[in-house]
Amino acid sequence: MEPVCPTHTRLYEGGKVIAENFATDQIAGLLKDNPDAVLWLDLYDPDENGLRAVQEEFGLHPLAVEDAVHDHQRPKLDRYPDHLFMNVYEVRVRTDGPVPSMQQTEISAFITSRALITVHKSPGDLEALMRRWDADIELSATSGVGFLVYGMLDVVVDGQYDAARSLDEAMDATEDDMLDEGGAPRPVRMYGFGLRKTLAALRRPVEPMADLIAQMLRPDTGLVDESLTPYFRDVDDHARRATETIDGARDRINGLLDADLNEQSNALNVVTRKLAAWAAIIAVPTALTGFFGQNLPYWGYGTTTGFVVSLALILVSAGILYAYLKRRGWL
């Protein structure tokens, strides 16, 4: 195999790492010399030329290679004669900014009988993945490539579930502010819209995971043995809980935004009613004095001083009213 530029390589046998960080041109020899070993090869954003040597070595299907080098594939599990192709997303969310945000790392994976070949299309947390594999040596000793796939899915799905819970907890902190009398302030309302947008974005990579795992558990894939089945079932449970958490949180935020809109409408109705009442009170003496043509002299009538005082009184009164309405958020 011609050398390409992996980000990491490992060779597992009997639950132990027997070789690590070797070049890709050594893979064929290592697999031949260690017939019971399985390989993990990770590549960072290769193009089709960069994957050609790996494709020839492991008999990867051209359509799978094409999907691996193009971004924004949907989460899926495709079957080919000699291997499986999987596409999933690692996700991370932040809830401490003006609005929540989400980052995702697309991971494509070729699954053969002796190798898990992962393709990261943006930087990912390989250390977390390796820690997960190293944490269960006994299981990896008997399950081969299936264990590597399980460890990868466990890290991905747990990250998705943590992201869903983080957004749900952020909503708890926002809920009281959104239900304040008179409607939520604009920053709180914008945070709520950001939550809804992030939940919708998170659901796209999370919702297909349960179906993907169900396909992987089918006996004809030959990937999951009896010892691994309970572990994949556990990952499936976490994937379903993540989807349920997202759906529940999305229903909550929609309800909160609707309640906030109703509260704003109620507050506007109260303000409108008060202004209409005061307008009616003022309109009565105005109408009467206008009808009778009353124009009574006031203090300083007909003098410059009186004009200045009356003008100042009008400006001060209007300024006080403007400040009051501005403070209440009506202007």
Side-chain angles (χ1 to χ4, degrees):
M1 181 190 298
E2 295 180 5
V4 293
C5 297
T7 59
H8 215 100
T9 51
R10 271 187 170 188
L11 196 68
Y12 288 86
E13 184 174 10
K16 298 179 180 179
V17 179
I18 60 173
E20 189 171 9
N21 292 330
F22 45 86
T24 53
D25 56 355
Q26 298 178 267
I27 288 176
L30 288 170
L31 289 176
K32 182 178 179 181
D33 294 340
N34 301 276
D36 296 326
V38 293
L39 167 75
W40 170 51
L41 166 64
D42 184 80
L43 303 171
Y44 176 66
D45 198 22
D47 56 19
E48 292 190 23
N49 290 330
L51 270 175
R52 184 169 291 113
V54 178
Q55 177 182 0
E56 294 173 355
E57 176 68 24
F58 292 96
L60 305 180
H61 197 279
L63 291 178
V65 172
E66 181 181 348
D67 285 346
V69 299
H70 290 90
D71 295 347
H72 310 304
Q73 301 294 318
R74 63 181 178 84
K76 62 180 179 177
L77 181 69
D78 291 336
R79 302 184 188 193
Y80 295 98
D82 299 321
H83 65 89
L84 301 174
F85 175 79
M86 179 174 66
N87 205 76
V88 295
Y89 287 85
E90 283 185 331
V91 297
R92 296 172 296 280
V93 298
R94 293 190 59 182
T95 59
D96 55 352
V99 294
S101 60
M102 185 185 81
Q103 293 179 329
Q104 59 184 19
T105 300
E106 185 175 1
I107 307 173
S108 298
F110 304 95
I111 305 167
T112 74
S113 59
R114 296 194 63 190
L116 171 64
I117 304 165
T118 55
V119 176
H120 279 78
K121 300 179 182 179
S122 55
D125 189 1
L126 295 181
E127 293 297 328
L129 185 57
M130 290 185 285
R131 285 195 303 269
R132 180 64 193 86
W133 286 330
D134 295 342
D136 206 338
I137 296 177
E138 293 182 0
L139 184 62
S140 66
T142 58
S143 301
V145 173
F147 169 75
L148 297 180
V149 176
Y150 156 69
M152 175 181 167
L153 287 175
D154 192 42
V155 170
V156 168
V157 171
D158 281 353
Q160 294 174 347
Y161 182 50
D162 289 343
R165 287 195 306 172
S166 295
L167 293 175
D168 193 53
E169 291 168 0
M171 196 178 310
D172 291 336
T174 308
E175 187 170 12
D176 292 338
D177 293 334
M178 294 195 70
L179 295 178
D180 279 347
E181 183 178 357
R186 177 175 172 80
V188 175
R189 197 160 56 249
M190 296 308 296
Y191 192 88
F193 285 121
L195 273 172
R196 184 167 65 180
K197 181 179 179 181
T198 306
L199 284 166
L202 179 60
R203 195 180 192 278
R204 285 192 287 270
V206 171
E207 192 273 335
M209 292 303 295
D211 182 62
L212 184 152
I213 296 167
Q215 292 183 55
M216 198 165 287
L217 281 167
R218 293 176 57 174
D220 53 353
T221 63
L223 181 67
V224 183
D225 58 25
E226 292 183 0
S227 64
L228 275 178
T229 297
Y231 294 92
F232 274 83
R233 294 290 185 195
D234 182 65
V235 176
D236 176 69
D237 178 65
H238 288 182
R240 295 179 188 276
R241 287 169 62 189
T243 302
E244 291 170 0
T245 301
I246 292 170
D247 289 342
R250 189 171 58 175
D251 290 341
R252 282 178 61 200
I253 193 61
N254 285 334
L256 286 173
L257 291 172
D258 289 342
D260 177 65
L261 181 60
N262 290 334
E263 181 62 25
Q264 291 182 65
S265 298
N266 292 336
L268 180 61
N269 290 337
V270 171
V271 172
T272 303
R273 187 168 61 247
K274 289 180 178 179
L275 292 177
W278 279 109
I281 294 172
I282 296 171
V284 172
T286 302
L288 290 174
T289 55
F291 178 79
F292 289 104
Q294 291 176 290
N295 190 9
L296 302 177
Y298 55 88
W299 179 84
Y301 180 76
T303 66
T304 302
T305 302
F307 171 75
V308 172
V309 170
S310 64
L311 180 62
L313 184 61
I314 292 172
L315 294 176
V316 170
S317 301
I320 293 174
L321 181 61
Y322 174 82
Y324 172 74
L325 296 177
K326 186 72 172 178
R327 187 172 67 251
R328 293 295 300 270
W330 297 353
L331 292 176

